Amino acid sequence: MTDFNGEILVVGDGGWGTALACLVAANGRSAVIWSYDPDYAALMQRSRSNPKFLPGVELPPAVAVTSDPGRAFARAALVVFAVPTKYARSVLDRLAPAYNGAPVLSASKGIEPDSLLTNSALVRERWSPPAIAVVSGPSHAEEVARGKPTTVVVAGPDTGFIAAVQRLLSNDRFRAYTNPDTVGVEIAGALKNVIAIAAGISDGMDLGDNAKSALITRGLAEMRRLGVAMGAIPDTFAGLAGMGDLITTCISPFGRNRRVGLELGRGRKLSDILASMEMVAEGITTTRAAVRLAERHRVEMPICYEVHRVLFEDKPPRRALLDLMTRSLKSELEDAGGER
Amino acid sequence: MTDFNGEILVVGDGGWGTALACLVAANGRSAVIWSYDPDYAALMQRSRSNPKFLPGVELPPAVAVTSDPGRAFARAALVVFAVPTKYARSVLDRLAPAYNGAPVLSASKGIEPDSLLTNSALVRERWSPPAIAVVSGPSHAEEVARGKPTTVVVAGPDTGFIAAVQRLLSNDRFRAYTNPDTVGVEIAGALKNVIAIAAGISDGMDLGDNAKSALITRGLAEMRRLGVAMGAIPDTFAGLAGMGDLITTCISPFGRNRRVGLELGRGRKLSDILASMEMVAEGITTTRAAVRLAERHRVEMPICYEVHRVLFEDKPPRRALLDLMTRSLKSELEDAGGER
């Protein structure tokens, strides 16, 4: 309990950040959630809940909510940065004057489409924290908040820091494992949202579990290809932050990215789908980044490319998935241990 | 079409064999299904259906059904052996006098618990066919029969033979890929049924998608560990016959093994569950074999061991899964690329 002397500050009022605040509170720590929206912060503080992003979960007394940067950082011993990639840079810059130099745990999954920075790299660039780690794994916020057994990976270069984060988060229902492979964990965490859109499209077209499993399998193969080209450890992709998180994201009814794909597969337009969603489907932004990274590192990523065409080039999902099934399966020949 | 001059004989009246018979018929070939039960063979032939094991699917005119071994082998150019492991030896011996020396495609997934032979090894031992291959992958019979897109792997040492099988099975909705790694494909195909029982237990206890994904991820790791100890290619487990088939089996509502686990997780007794099932849940038999193989090859397989305790040692599923979550996740430290 002496690892972080002070409060745990969660930056961002989303479901995952809120679940992590509840988790550290359950572990005996005080937490404060910072929301950019004063009205919503007040509503959360008053109602002891996060009705938009984590409905039905009561905030424990040890969790406070504020929109005041000064209050947020006043006693912060660790910053959990849980802001969608889309807003990450502006939030980091807005909070920079108040940032107190505490170490940072990045809890968002995504890649900034212009800079191609992962969230931890972006935090490092904007805040230069003394230590930084990322948390990832099969961990739907709704299940974590309801005390369902969950396992995650905490990755970072500083072994002392990631061990301290591991102790902070772990309890008998939530287990954190450490991994030195930040790049692999972040690439896997970001790209799985793109594959989840593809899996959702397959579900929306009612193609069945055989096709969906093939898509998930091929999806992990292309995630690993890119990760390894960027310096990741291949086995990270066979672990909880790779395969584990990908499966949860592709099968869970909670998944926002899968749901976007599902509606696309049923024939709805992206703009209509987005207009009806409160939450950010991170995979939409990540798809742009994935395609640019694939080009930069000269890696074949047929699923990411087809999702890009559906999202941004008006390609009919049916056509994309047909092309995908054919092409991506052809490419299995080259990289999967002797299959041809 | 000149690869196999004659009929395709499917030995076994189960759902998967029937779906394969319908598939080759759709590809322009004549097929004959052999059932050990004269009454059921007559019912299938008359009703043009397999009401017990593939309800709602009409048998095409090019599919005949017989219980007469002489008729079955009369024009057989390829034998698709699709008998559950439990009955495989007795069926092989019963048909041995009629067996005409045609090459064999093994379509069953399992390991004989006493001999520890895979199905293809058992066929080789009893019949000594001139060529043998196995077919595996994410391929629920119900979806194949309904024309949903499906991909499989055809594995065997004889490249000319597996290429001919690939041509026989493939069409625009069913794609077969070849792989030289028979051991890996058969071990993966057998063991995934044990992991599916574990996944079902997790579902039956309503532990959520986070826990289930962790279980599937750890399950594949222990499948791969055993396979590699037995000479398999590690990448086979990341492919369609490994990860792909495992995911389908663990998420599909059709899965018999997952259903056994589901009922166990809800507190029903194994004997009651089995009494109410028409079909064979192959994973029950395979669990015994898996534990013996783990001992022989000195490989840690905590999930298979806990499933064994639940099935055969009356261990309460809740207790087993608790022990499992703890223990199996500890062992991730040792084998998964730097996680500790």
Side-chain angles (χ1 to χ4, degrees):
Chain A
M1 286 303 161
T2 53
D3 286 328
F4 300 106
N5 282 311
E7 279 183 340
I8 309 304
L9 164 60
V10 175
V11 172
D13 59 16
W16 180 219
T18 303
L20 286 172
C22 297
L23 177 70
V24 298
N27 289 355
R29 304 301 300 255
S30 290
V32 54
I33 296 171
W34 178 85
S35 167
Y36 76 99
D37 177 350
D39 293 339
Y40 195 64
L43 172 71
M44 283 179 70
Q45 177 71 345
R46 201 172 53 237
S47 68
R48 307 308 303 154
S49 70
N50 185 342
K52 261 205 263 187
F53 303 121
L54 201 62
V57 173
E58 194 183 331
L59 300 184
V63 175
V65 188
T66 185
S67 65
D68 172 11
R71 161 68 188 93
F73 283 100
R75 290 181 293 280
L78 173 73
V79 182
V80 178
F81 191 76
V83 173
T85 309
K86 205 173 159 181
Y87 308 119
R89 183 179 289 268
S90 67
V91 168
L92 285 165
D93 290 349
R94 179 168 168 181
L95 293 181
Y99 172 57
N100 67 351
V104 174
L105 177 66
S106 171
S108 304
K109 295 166 181 173
I111 300 165
E112 210 183 29
D114 292 329
S115 69
L116 297 182
L117 293 173
T118 61
N119 281 323
S120 79
L122 184 61
V123 172
R124 198 178 282 115
E125 185 197 279
R126 309 314 289 173
W127 282 6
S128 304
I132 186 155
V134 302
V135 57
S136 192
S139 50
H140 268 294
E142 294 80 356
E143 294 189 2
V144 172
R146 281 168 181 76
K148 306 264 186 188
T150 299
T151 51
V152 297
V153 172
V154 175
D158 179 338
T159 51
F161 177 55
I162 61 178
V165 171
Q166 179 182 42
R167 284 190 293 272
L168 174 74
L169 300 180
S170 293
N171 61 36
D172 61 345
R173 293 171 166 211
F174 190 96
R175 301 180 148 264
Y177 295 92
T178 60
N179 183 327
D181 181 16
T182 319
V183 171
V185 167
E186 278 197 296
I187 289 297
L191 291 193
K192 56 120 198 189
N193 287 324
V194 182
I195 307 305
I197 295 175
I201 293 174
S202 176
D203 282 345
M205 290 167 60
D206 197 25
L207 294 187
D209 290 328
N210 295 349
K212 183 173 166 179
S213 295
L215 206 53
I216 297 174
T217 302
R218 298 304 307 147
L220 186 62
E222 72 179 59
M223 286 163 55
R224 186 177 48 227
R225 261 198 309 270
L226 178 63
V228 168
M230 292 174 70
I233 299 170
D235 277 354
T236 294
F237 293 85
L240 293 168
M243 176 176 164
D245 195 10
L246 177 65
I247 294 175
T248 289
T249 309
C250 290
I251 69 173
S252 173
F254 299 124
R256 304 191 281 271
N257 296 288
R258 184 186 152 271
R259 217 175 71 209
V260 167
L262 192 76
E263 300 291 344
L264 287 167
R266 286 174 179 159
R268 282 184 69 193
K269 289 274 159 224
L270 181 61
S271 49
D272 295 348
I273 300 165
L274 293 182
S276 67
M277 284 180 85
E278 271 290 1
M279 305 196 196
V280 175
E282 193 71 76
I284 297 172
T285 313
T286 307
T287 302
R288 289 191 198 273
V291 164
R292 289 192 50 215
L293 282 172
E295 277 163 17
R296 176 183 289 185
H297 295 279
R298 299 173 188 280
V299 167
E300 273 197 47
M301 304 192 74
I303 300 178
C304 290
Y305 272 85
E306 288 299 335
V307 171
H308 192 276
R309 291 189 185 101
V310 170
L311 290 176
F312 307 117
E313 301 166 33
D314 271 330
K315 183 165 182 175
R318 186 165 298 272
R319 181 61 196 275
L321 222 79
L322 229 93
D323 287 357
L324 205 53
M325 290 297 289
T326 316
R327 183 155 20 141
S328 84
L329 287 161
K330 269 183 192 153
S331 79
E332 171 144 349
L333 323 185
E334 293 130 46
D335 69 300
E339 278 174 85
R340 59 185 74 96
Chain B
M1 285 304 161
T2 54
D3 287 327
F4 301 105
N5 283 310
E7 280 184 338
I8 309 303
L9 164 60
V10 174
V11 172
D13 60 15
W16 180 219
T18 303
L20 287 171
C22 296
L23 177 71
V24 298
N27 289 354
R29 305 301 300 255
S30 290
V32 55
I33 296 171
W34 178 85
S35 168
Y36 76 98
D37 178 351
D39 293 339
Y40 195 66
L43 172 71
M44 282 179 69
Q45 179 71 343
R46 202 171 55 240
S47 68
R48 306 307 304 152
S49 70
N50 186 341
K52 260 206 266 188
F53 302 121
L54 201 63
V57 173
E58 195 184 331
L59 300 184
V63 174
V65 188
T66 184
S67 65
D68 172 12
R71 161 66 188 93
F73 283 99
R75 289 181 294 279
L78 172 74
V79 182
V80 177
F81 191 76
V83 173
T85 310
K86 205 173 160 180
Y87 308 118
R89 183 179 290 267
S90 68
V91 168
L92 285 165
D93 290 350
R94 180 167 167 184
L95 293 181
Y99 172 57
N100 68 350
V104 175
L105 176 66
S106 171
S108 305
K109 295 167 182 172
I111 300 165
E112 209 183 29
D114 293 329
S115 69
L116 297 182
L117 293 174
T118 60
N119 281 323
S120 80
L122 184 61
V123 172
R124 199 179 280 117
E125 184 196 279
R126 310 314 290 172
W127 282 7
S128 304
I132 186 154
V134 302
V135 57
S136 192
S139 50
H140 268 293
E142 293 81 355
E143 294 190 2
V144 172
R146 281 166 181 78
K148 305 264 187 187
T150 298
T151 52
V152 298
V153 171
V154 174
D158 180 336
T159 51
F161 177 55
I162 60 177
V165 172
Q166 179 183 41
R167 284 189 293 272
L168 174 74
L169 300 180
S170 294
N171 61 35
D172 61 345
R173 292 171 167 210
F174 190 97
R175 302 181 147 263
Y177 294 90
T178 61
N179 182 329
D181 181 16
T182 319
V183 172
V185 167
E186 277 196 296
I187 289 296
L191 292 193
K192 57 121 198 188
N193 287 325
V194 182
I195 307 304
I197 294 176
I201 293 175
S202 176
D203 281 345
M205 292 167 57
D206 197 25
L207 293 187
D209 291 327
N210 295 349
K212 184 173 165 180
S213 295
L215 206 54
I216 297 173
T217 302
R218 297 307 307 150
L220 185 62
E222 74 179 57
M223 286 163 57
R224 185 177 50 226
R225 257 195 315 266
L226 178 63
V228 169
M230 294 175 68
I233 299 171
D235 278 354
T236 294
F237 293 85
L240 292 169
M243 176 177 163
D245 196 9
L246 177 65
I247 294 175
T248 288
T249 309
C250 291
I251 68 173
S252 174
F254 299 125
R256 304 192 280 271
N257 296 289
R258 184 187 154 271
R259 216 175 71 208
V260 168
L262 192 76
E263 299 291 343
L264 287 167
R266 286 173 179 161
R268 282 183 70 192
K269 290 272 157 223
L270 181 62
S271 50
D272 295 347
I273 300 165
L274 293 181
S276 65
M277 284 180 85
E278 272 291 358
M279 305 196 196
V280 174
E282 193 70 75
I284 297 172
T285 313
T286 307
T287 302
R288 288 190 198 276
V291 163
R292 288 192 51 216
L293 282 172
E295 276 162 19
R296 175 184 290 185
H297 295 279
R298 299 174 189 278
V299 166
E300 273 197 47
M301 304 192 75
I303 300 179
C304 291
Y305 272 85
E306 289 298 335
V307 171
H308 193 275
R309 293 190 184 102
V310 170
L311 290 176
F312 307 118
E313 301 166 34
D314 271 330
K315 182 165 182 175
R318 185 165 298 271
R319 181 61 196 275
L321 223 79
L322 229 91
D323 288 356
L324 205 53
M325 289 297 290
T326 316
R327 183 153 21 141
S328 82
L329 287 162
K330 270 184 192 152
S331 80
E332 172 147 345
L333 323 186
E334 292 130 47
D335 69 302
E339 279 175 84
R340 58 184 74 96

